């Protein structure tokens, strides 16, 4: 992100410098290019803080709801549903091994948009998978598949981007739920198929294989398993898992076809459902909601520096004319497939930097010429909610277990990203173009 941030600033500066040196005032009140760049910088700094303040309330509300759902055991219910599917996807991981439980909890948290909870489970899963890894320092097939799924995991509720759209004045902040669900289902399917396919071309050197701890191999090593919720080690019947998956898949075409009719109902029904679920489970919903809202407040405050940095850089990039040059050069090609050039910075930055992509989508939604409820607004919102920061995830998870040879993990992750972008474009084009 350091390189990207500096590159955007430098390109904006030198583009404006060129315009300044070749500038000939046509009227007395013309603004010099460098002065316009300075004004854009200052205004973007102010607006980024205003955006973050507007985000505080919405973020606090949604994270309060998610805290109620988490306290009521919704995370464990999803984990139980996922377990029969996970056993088939990861046949090399013993069913009762701690790695299986950690992976299930990680994916359950991702499905609910609980990124802060998903990361610790993900790192724990990598540590447990490394105990089964025959070649230390080289990613195993299970590690690669887990990372590929993690970078494209199905998102049932993209709470963060819904909150951002609401703070940007969207009349339909939850309108991205059907498009996000469709895109993540496609990208997750692509991630699984790509990981299984690419592993044929990235063989593991068996001569360098080290012996696996027998305790780990038979799944009796429980050093970390004790910290996992009990629900992660049990499962619902397989038919319940497949029925749930079928319902999710079946909901996608209905949501896309009737998206405009369903959209206004999503948030109210979601609020009532989660609070009712928490009350049914015996959760003290008011106290738990307030506790979760505090976390939302802290999250919104913490992202202010990131928003300032990227929004200022993008504002300079736009004001200098460099963005228009890029859009003009690329737009003619991408528009042929329904992908507007205005969304290109988001598509390119999302796999590289989460904070950078968040700043880009925030700037796009705040742009008066675009707005949150335009086709571009829906598209960048869907990209933010349905794709992951692939390079960051690989760096954090593999770094936690000192994996140097990632094999086909990056190829599988980027393949999933590409499929996710295509699917998001198709869904948004059908509903909102």
């Amino acid at each position: 992100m350091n390189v990207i941030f500096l590159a955007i600033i430098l390109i904006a500066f030198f583009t404006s410098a060129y315009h300044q040196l070749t500038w000939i005032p046509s009227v007395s009140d013309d603004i010099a290019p460098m002065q316009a760049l300075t004004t854009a910088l200052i205004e973007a700094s102010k607006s980024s803080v205003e955006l973050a303040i507007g985000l505080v309330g919405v973020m606090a509300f949604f994270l309060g709801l998610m805290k109620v759902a988490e306290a009521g055991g919704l995370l464990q219910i999803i984990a139980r549903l996922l377990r029969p599917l996970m056993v088939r996807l990861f046949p090399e991981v013993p069913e009762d091994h701690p790695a299986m439980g950690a992976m299930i909890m990680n994916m359950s948290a991702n499905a609910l948009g609980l990124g802060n909870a998903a990361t610790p489970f993900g790192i724990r899963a990598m540590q447990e998978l490394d105990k089964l890894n025959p070649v230390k320092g080289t990613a195993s097939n299970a590690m690669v598949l887990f990372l590929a799924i993690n970078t494209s995991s199905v998102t049932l509720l993209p709470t963060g981007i819904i909150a951002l759209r609401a703070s940007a004045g969207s009349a339909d902040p939850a309108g991205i739920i059907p498009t996000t669900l469709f895109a993540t289902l496609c990208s997750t399917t692509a991630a699984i198929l790509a990981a299984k396919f690419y592993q044929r071309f990235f063989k593991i050197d068996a001569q360098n294989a080290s012996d696996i701890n027998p305790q780990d191999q038979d799944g009796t090593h429980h050093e970390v398993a004790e910290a996992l919720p009990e629900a992660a080690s049990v499962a619902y019947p397989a038919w319940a898992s497949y029925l749930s998956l079928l319902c999710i898949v079946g909901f996608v075409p209905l949501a896309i076809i009737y998206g405009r009719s369903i959209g206004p109902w999503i948030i109210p029904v979601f609020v009532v459902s989660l609070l009712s679920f928490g009350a049914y489970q015996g959760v003290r919903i008011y106290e738990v909601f307030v506790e979760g809202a505090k976390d939302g407040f802290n999250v919104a405050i913490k992202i202010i520096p990131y928003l300032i940095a990227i929004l200022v850089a993008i504002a300079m990039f736009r004001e200098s004319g460099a963005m228009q040059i890029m859009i003009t050069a690329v737009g003619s090609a991408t528009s042929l497939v329904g992908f507007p050039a205005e969304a290109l910075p988001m598509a390119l930055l999302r796999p590289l930097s989460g904070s950078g992509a968040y700043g880009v989508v925030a700037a796009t939604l705040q742009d008066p010429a675009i707005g949150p409820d335009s086709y571009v607004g829906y598209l960048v919102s869907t990209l933010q909610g349905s794709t992951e920061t692939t390079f960051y995830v690989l760096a954090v998870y593999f770094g936690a277990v000192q994996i140097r040879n990632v094999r086909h993990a990056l190829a599988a992750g980027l393949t999933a990203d590409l499929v996710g972008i295509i699917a998001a474009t198709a869904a948004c084009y059908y509903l909102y173009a």
Side-chain angles (χ1 to χ4, degrees):
M1 190 57 202
N2 293 315
V3 175
I4 295 172
F5 177 69
L6 180 60
I8 293 175
I9 296 291
L10 290 178
I11 292 173
F13 172 78
F14 286 114
T15 303
S16 290
Y18 171 78
H19 290 158
Q20 178 71 37
L21 294 174
T22 58
W23 177 60
I24 301 177
S26 57
V27 291
S28 59
D29 60 346
D30 252 359
I31 300 176
M34 291 304 288
Q35 181 59 46
L37 188 70
T38 302
T39 302
L41 186 155
I42 296 173
E43 291 300 320
S45 300
K46 294 179 181 178
S47 63
S48 59
V49 176
E50 294 171 356
L51 173 64
I53 292 175
L55 187 61
V56 168
V58 185
M59 184 73 77
F61 179 76
F62 275 105
L63 288 189
L65 287 176
M66 296 312 299
K67 191 72 172 181
V68 172
E70 186 179 1
L74 185 58
L75 200 64
Q76 285 76 20
I77 291 174
I78 295 177
R80 290 179 177 181
L81 287 173
L82 283 177
R83 191 172 188 86
L85 300 175
M86 293 289 290
V87 171
R88 289 184 175 274
L89 282 176
F90 295 89
E92 62 269 47
V93 179
E95 181 177 350
D96 57 348
H97 194 275
M100 188 65 75
M103 287 192 294
I104 290 172
M105 296 306 295
N106 166 268
M107 294 178 189
S108 301
N110 271 328
L112 293 177
L114 301 173
N116 291 336
T119 300
F121 284 125
I123 292 175
R124 190 181 307 173
M126 290 300 291
Q127 292 170 339
E128 294 297 331
L129 286 173
D130 194 49
K131 295 174 183 177
L132 297 171
N133 187 7
V135 184
K136 302 304 179 185
T138 297
S140 65
N141 290 335
M143 286 179 169
V144 172
L145 179 57
F146 172 64
L147 261 294
I149 294 175
N150 207 273
T151 60
S152 62
S153 57
V154 174
T155 304
L156 300 178
L157 190 71
T159 52
I161 190 61
I162 290 176
L164 181 60
R165 287 176 53 79
S167 67
S170 172
D172 184 20
I176 63 164
I177 289 181
T179 57
T180 298
L181 183 57
F182 176 74
T184 53
L185 281 173
C186 292
S187 62
T188 300
T189 302
I192 295 171
L193 295 177
K196 296 289 188 180
F197 177 74
Y198 293 152
Q199 72 183 35
R200 303 176 182 179
F201 308 100
F202 293 84
K203 302 293 185 180
I204 297 177
D205 186 1
Q207 293 182 350
N208 294 328
S210 59
D211 293 333
I212 301 174
N213 189 326
Q215 289 182 318
D216 293 330
Q217 192 172 25
D218 64 17
T220 59
H221 189 289
H222 296 289
E223 178 182 346
V224 184
E226 296 176 359
L228 293 171
E230 183 181 352
S233 60
V234 296
Y236 290 125
W239 65 264
S241 299
Y242 295 124
L243 180 61
S244 300
L245 180 62
L246 183 62
C247 289
I248 293 175
V249 174
F251 174 74
V252 172
L254 292 176
I256 292 177
I257 295 173
Y258 301 105
R260 294 184 182 274
S261 300
I262 296 174
W265 287 81
I266 291 178
I267 294 298
V269 170
F270 170 72
V271 173
V272 172
S273 299
L274 287 192
L275 292 179
S276 300
F277 172 80
Y280 176 78
Q281 294 293 104
V283 176
R284 299 179 65 86
I285 57 176
Y286 179 77
E287 289 86 348
V288 173
F289 177 91
V290 171
E291 191 63 30
K294 291 179 182 178
D295 294 337
F297 179 86
N298 293 331
V299 169
I301 295 300
K302 286 179 181 178
I303 66 174
I304 290 180
Y306 300 99
L307 282 177
I308 292 176
I310 198 65
L311 288 181
V312 167
I314 292 173
M316 294 176 64
F317 192 69
R318 182 187 296 115
E319 187 63 37
S320 69
M323 181 172 287
Q324 186 59 44
I325 294 174
M326 183 187 73
I327 290 175
T328 302
V330 180
S332 58
T334 58
S335 60
L336 295 177
V337 293
F339 192 87
E342 293 85 351
L344 188 62
M346 177 65 189
L348 295 177
L349 194 58
R350 183 59 175 148
L352 298 173
S353 169
S355 59
Y358 193 87
V360 169
V361 70
T364 303
L365 298 182
Q366 288 288 313
D367 188 346
I370 298 176
D373 295 330
S374 64
Y375 168 55
V376 174
Y378 278 109
L379 179 56
V380 296
S381 299
T382 301
L383 292 176
Q384 174 70 16
S386 62
T387 55
E388 189 51 88
T389 315
T390 301
F391 287 88
Y392 170 81
V393 171
L394 263 65
V396 171
Y397 285 9
F398 279 148
V401 289
Q402 289 79 52
I403 294 295
R404 296 178 298 276
N405 181 6
V406 302
R407 299 176 63 222
H408 53 295
L410 180 58
L414 293 179
T415 299
D417 288 340
L418 178 60
V419 172
I421 291 171
I422 295 172
T425 304
C428 291
Y429 188 84
Y430 178 81
L431 279 179
Y432 305 114

